[in-house]
Amino acid sequence: MFDDLVATSDGTLAHLVPDAIRRALGDPTVREKLQVFVEADLSVVATAKALSLHPNSLRYRLGRITELTGRGPRKLTDLLELVAATHVLTGQTGRDT
């Protein structure tokens, strides 16, 4: 779905992404943590293991994402917004635009 959304976008969708989210997702480590968190089915333990972090360190970083963006990656609707914004901002291939 996200790939279709980005493919049909003429670039105007990126302007809908709030500045705080745009700034936070400009950091590749933030995007990586979100991506791995999603791939690990929102499991803090599995994500921490995949990133070679202690689970408490990951919880802290997820909390920082919440502070930076105003969206909590552990809340489904907020996570979906962050994932959609990531796809819009980076395009289908994951490159920055």
Side-chain angles (χ1 to χ4, degrees):
M1 175 182 127
F2 294 121
D3 291 342
D4 293 336
L5 179 68
V6 174
T8 59
S9 170
D10 60 1
T12 57
L13 283 178
H15 298 291
L16 298 175
V17 177
D19 288 339
I21 293 175
R22 181 187 311 277
R23 282 191 301 275
L25 295 178
D27 182 343
T29 61
V30 170
R31 291 192 312 268
E32 175 193 28
K33 283 167 186 55
L34 286 173
Q35 179 181 350
V36 174
F37 187 55
V38 169
E39 290 171 357
D41 292 327
L42 314 185
S43 167
V44 169
V45 173
T47 303
K49 183 176 179 179
L51 295 171
S52 300
L53 294 172
H54 188 279
N56 287 342
S57 294
L58 178 66
R59 287 183 189 98
Y60 171 80
R61 287 177 170 98
L62 292 173
R64 282 292 294 148
I65 291 171
T66 302
E67 291 172 18
L68 293 171
T69 65
R71 308 300 189 280
R74 296 177 75 181
K75 182 178 176 188
L76 181 59
T77 56
D78 288 356
L79 179 62
L80 291 174
E81 186 174 344
L82 291 169
V83 170
T86 299
H87 282 265
V88 167
L89 294 172
T90 62
Q92 292 180 347
T93 62
R95 67 183 186 284
D96 291 330
T97 57

